[in-house]
Amino acid sequence: MTSPRFATLAVRGSYDHEEAISHHGSLSEPAYLTTAQHFDSAEAMRATAAGEREGWVYARRGNPTTGHLEATLAALEGYQTGAEVTAAVTTTGMAAISLATSAFLGVAAGAEPNIVASPACYGSTVMVFDRRYGDERGVSVRWVDDPYSVESWERVIDRNTRFLFAESPSNPMVQLVDIPALAALAREAGIPLIVDATLATPALLRPLALGADIVVHSLTKAAGASGRSMGGAVIARRGLRFRGQPAEMTEDFARYLRLGPMRDMGSVLSPFHAWTLLADIRELRTRVDTMSSGALRVAEHLAGRDDVAEVFYPGLPGHRTHHLAQRDMWLVDSGGPGRDPVNRFGFLLGFRPAGGVAAAHRALDRLRLVWRANNLGQVKSTATIPAIGTHLQVGADSPVPADMIRLSVGVEDAGDIIDDLDQALTGGDGPVRRPAGRAQ
C-alpha cells in the first residue's frame, strides 16, 4: 500500500487491523478508562517505569487511548513534511502553550530570559506571557511592534531570547505571520519557533512543513468540533538542537514533556476525552473544508453591506495578510491529476457593525441561529464580542476593536447563517442593504 493520504490517516490513525483483532475486532480504538496498568512481574514494572520497555505504568504518564490520539496528531501535523514528528496531548490548549513555552525558561540556559512574541494572540496567551511569566517570574516579554515585518522581530532578538511565538492565523483578528521567514530567524538565533495553528488545523496549514519547530493546538476547537471535550496538543519535529538546551529535551520534545513536566505537574488529558477527540478528528478535512467554504461566503456577504464597517477575514483581498494566506493555506490533498489545489482560509472571521459598540451588542443579542458563546471551531456557529469575552482580561492593552464581533462558522447551511446575520444587523426592520462595504 502506498503512503496513506491525510484523510485516511485521520480515520485510521495508529489503530490497525492487527491491533483490532487483539481487541475482539473492534473497529474503533478502545477507551481505556483506567488509571493504572497491571504488570506480570516486578521486573516488568521496573523496566516499564524506567522507559526500557513499552508500557504506560500510570495514567499521569500515559495511557493507550491518549497514545492513539498523540500518534494520530503527529501523523497529521507531520504529513508531507519529511520529518519525524511526535506529539503530547494535554488537558487544554492553554496547558499545551504553557508546557511548550515554560520548558525553555529554565535557569540552565542562562539568566535574564526574554521571549519574543506577536501581540496578535488569544487573550489567555497574553495573560500567561505578561502575568505568569513577566510579573510572577521576571521573564522579559517583548511584543513585536509589527508581527508582519520580519525586521520587527529581528530587532528584539538577542542572546537571552528563548523562543519566538506566534499564532497563525490569530484569534480573533485572523492575521497570519510569515512562518518561513521567522523560522530562518529562529534557526540563526539557535532558538525554537513555536506556532499556535489552532485556527487552521493541519487540514489547512502545517507549520512544521514551513520551517517551524513546535506547533501547539487547542483540540477543544475545530479538532474537537462536537464540543464534548477539552484538550490540547504539543507537536514537534525530532532531532532539534537549541542554544543552551539539553539534548534530552530537544531530541524528542514531546516525549520529554510526557515523561518529565507533564508527569510531574499533571496536565494530562483523560482517556475518555482522548477517545471522543479521536472520533471528531476522523472527519477533520471534510469538516474544515465545509466550514471554511461557508466562512468565505459569509465574509464576502458582510463585506458587501453598508451597515458593516469592517470585515476581518484572510480570504478577502483587502486583508493585510491575504497574500500569506494565499501562499500558505491550502486544503490538504486538494490538488491531483486534473485538479488544482484549493485555497481555504479557515472558519473564523470578525466584523464591526456600523454604529460602534452599541450596534455590535444589539446585533449579537438579535442572533437566532448563531449561538452566543465564547468557543469557536464547533459544528454549531458561534459568535462573541472578544472585548467582553475572550479578551476581557487583557483590558485596554488589547489590540482587538471593542465593537468587533467574532464569528465562528459551523457546518450549517451558509445561506441560513447569512439570513441570521442579516436580520440581526437590521433588527428585522426593512430590507437588507448590500452596496459595497469595506474589508480588511
Side-chain angles (χ1 to χ4, degrees), residues 137-154:
R137 298 174 61 176
V139 175
S140 174
V141 183
R142 300 177 177 180
W143 300 104
V144 297
D145 294 332
D146 182 356
Y148 322 110
S149 163
V150 177
E151 291 75 18
S152 292
W153 292 79
E154 190 172 20

Side-chain angles (χ1 to χ4, degrees), residues 1 3-13 72 75-76 79-80 202-203 206 278 280-287 331-334:
M1 180 178 177
S3 298
R5 295 175 177 83
F6 185 93
T8 304
L9 290 172
V11 171
R12 190 186 71 175
T72 300
L76 297 182
Y79 184 64
Q80 295 180 337
R206 292 176 302 288
L278 275 166
D280 282 339
I281 284 171
R282 299 195 204 286
E283 299 173 353
L284 181 65
R285 182 187 182 276
T286 302
R287 187 171 63 245
L331 179 64
V332 63
D333 291 336
S334 58

Side-chain angles (χ1 to χ4, degrees), residues 257-304:
L257 292 179
R258 284 196 305 273
L259 300 184
M262 290 174 62
R263 176 199 64 197
D264 298 338
M265 295 185 281
S267 56
V268 180
L269 186 67
S270 82
F272 177 78
H273 291 315
W275 187 62
T276 61
L277 288 167
L278 275 166
D280 282 339
I281 284 171
R282 299 195 204 286
E283 299 173 353
L284 181 65
R285 182 187 182 276
T286 302
R287 187 171 63 245
V288 171
D289 183 22
T290 299
M291 293 160 66
S292 300
S293 298
L296 179 59
R297 280 187 59 190
V298 171
E300 290 174 337
H301 175 80
L302 290 172

